[in-house]
């Protein structure tokens, strides 16, 4: 299972990298636009900050433009994966980039049919938007669970990457469904490190331990 952080902030990636739980970074045009550096510099800096994939989305909406951007992004870091929106032109661009051996997949996905077409084109990943499905009144978890069942049934190697995951409850349901990969915004990832009963339990242990010293005799020389 892979866990990604959904951010364009290099500082945030460096902050969470040391936790050891994140495998890579997903971005989108909105996140990159919120930074004060260029698209290329953002992707290069994120690539330096993490030993894992950095997902960068094409801006063009025509096949040639997407292919040109995809080829360029591929050179911006050792493990850049090109995100292409789920449009007819996007599927054609995907086919072209994958034929060149460039890692690329389909994003802004809302149906099992869109996901199957991406897997048919040997997409590296496909990214359904859980939160936005629920914004539209659909059961986002059910749609993604159905995608995972379909991918497993066909033996597709395309990674199912659940995106637009906004709550700990959504993430938990995705984990239970055995989804290949989940990307989380920093605040949702942060929430997963905490539980009020954990804090309460630790406080109790601290109280009971009192002012006794550490079991490791002398930590002052460390
Ligand atoms: O990166 C794409 C996705 O995670 C967007 O999430 O919350 O803007 O729907 P959201």
């Amino acid at each position: 299972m892979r866990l990604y952080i959904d951010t364009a902030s290099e500082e945030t990636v460096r902050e969470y990298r040391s936790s050891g739980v994140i495998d890579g970074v997903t971005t989108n045009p909105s996140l990159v636009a919120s930074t004060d550096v260029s698209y290329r510099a953002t992707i290069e800096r994120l690539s330096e900050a993490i030993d894992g994939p950095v997902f960068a989305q094409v801006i063009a909406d025509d096949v040639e433009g997407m292919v040109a951007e995809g080829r360029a992004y591929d050179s911006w870091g050792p493990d850049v994966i090109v995100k292409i929106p789920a449009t007819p032109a996007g599927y054609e661009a995907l086919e072209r980039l994958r034929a060149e051996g460039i890692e690329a997949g389909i994003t802004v996905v809302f149906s099992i049919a869109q996901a199957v077409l991406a897997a048919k084109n040997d997409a590296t990943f496909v990214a359904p938007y859980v939160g936005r499905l629920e914004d539209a009144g659909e059961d986002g978890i059910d749609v993604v669970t159905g995608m995972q069942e379909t991918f497993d049934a066909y033996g597709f190697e395309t990674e199912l990457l659940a995106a637009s995951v906004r709550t700990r409850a959504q993430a938990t349901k995705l984990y239970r469904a055995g989804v290949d990969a989940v990307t989380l915004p920093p605040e949702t990832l942060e929430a997963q490190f905490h539980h009020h009963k954990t804090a309460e339990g630790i406080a109790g242990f601290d109280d009971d331990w009192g002012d006794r010293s550490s079991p490791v005799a002398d930590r002052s020389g460390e």
Side-chain angles (χ1 to χ4, degrees):
M1 181 268 178
R2 284 183 175 231
L3 190 60
Y4 303 121
I5 189 164
D6 200 26
T7 182
S9 162
E10 176 195 356
E11 294 71 29
T12 304
V13 170
R14 291 189 185 280
E15 183 186 336
Y16 283 97
R17 179 183 62 179
S18 56
S19 71
V21 302
I22 56 171
D23 298 299
V25 183
T26 58
T27 69
N28 62 43
S30 306
L31 291 171
V32 177
S34 71
T35 70
D36 55 5
V37 289
S38 71
Y39 206 128
R40 178 174 182 155
T42 300
I43 299 304
E44 286 177 341
R45 289 179 191 183
L46 292 171
S47 294
E48 282 166 17
I50 188 99
D51 181 18
V54 174
F55 294 74
Q57 187 167 326
V58 296
I59 303 297
D61 56 11
D62 64 298
V63 177
E64 295 304 329
M66 292 181 191
V67 170
E69 289 175 358
R71 286 176 182 147
Y73 294 1
D74 184 54
S75 70
W76 290 353
D79 200 0
V80 175
I81 300 181
V82 182
K83 296 174 77 178
I84 306 170
T87 63
Y91 286 95
E92 192 175 330
L94 173 69
E95 169 72 9
R96 299 250 309 263
L97 290 169
R98 294 296 291 132
E100 294 178 19
I102 291 174
E103 300 289 354
I106 294 288
T107 189
V108 203
V109 164
F110 290 85
S111 72
I112 292 175
Q114 288 175 311
V116 167
L117 296 184
K120 283 283 295 168
N121 266 14
D122 191 29
T124 303
F125 75 93
V126 60
Y129 275 22
V130 174
R132 295 192 197 187
L133 274 161
E134 302 206 337
D135 292 344
E138 289 196 54
D139 183 340
I141 301 297
D142 187 59
V143 171
V144 175
T145 302
M147 283 179 193
Q148 189 68 61
E149 288 168 359
T150 306
F151 278 30
D152 291 345
Y154 283 123
F156 287 148
E157 290 182 4
T158 296
E159 178 175 79
L160 185 58
L161 197 184
S164 184
V165 179
R166 301 172 187 156
T167 68
R168 184 163 55 183
Q170 288 171 340
T172 301
K173 288 174 186 168
L174 293 164
Y175 301 154
R176 292 191 66 175
V179 170
D180 294 330
V182 177
T183 186
L184 301 172
E187 55 276 15
T188 309
L189 176 62
E190 178 64 34
Q192 300 200 18
F193 287 100
H194 304 284
H195 192 287
H196 70 281
K197 291 298 290 181
T198 299
E200 187 184 306
I202 292 168
F205 293 137
D206 283 349
D207 281 351
D208 292 343
W209 191 253
D211 58 5
R212 294 168 182 82
S213 61
S214 165
V216 179
D218 179 12
R219 297 183 62 197
S220 59
E222 284 180 3

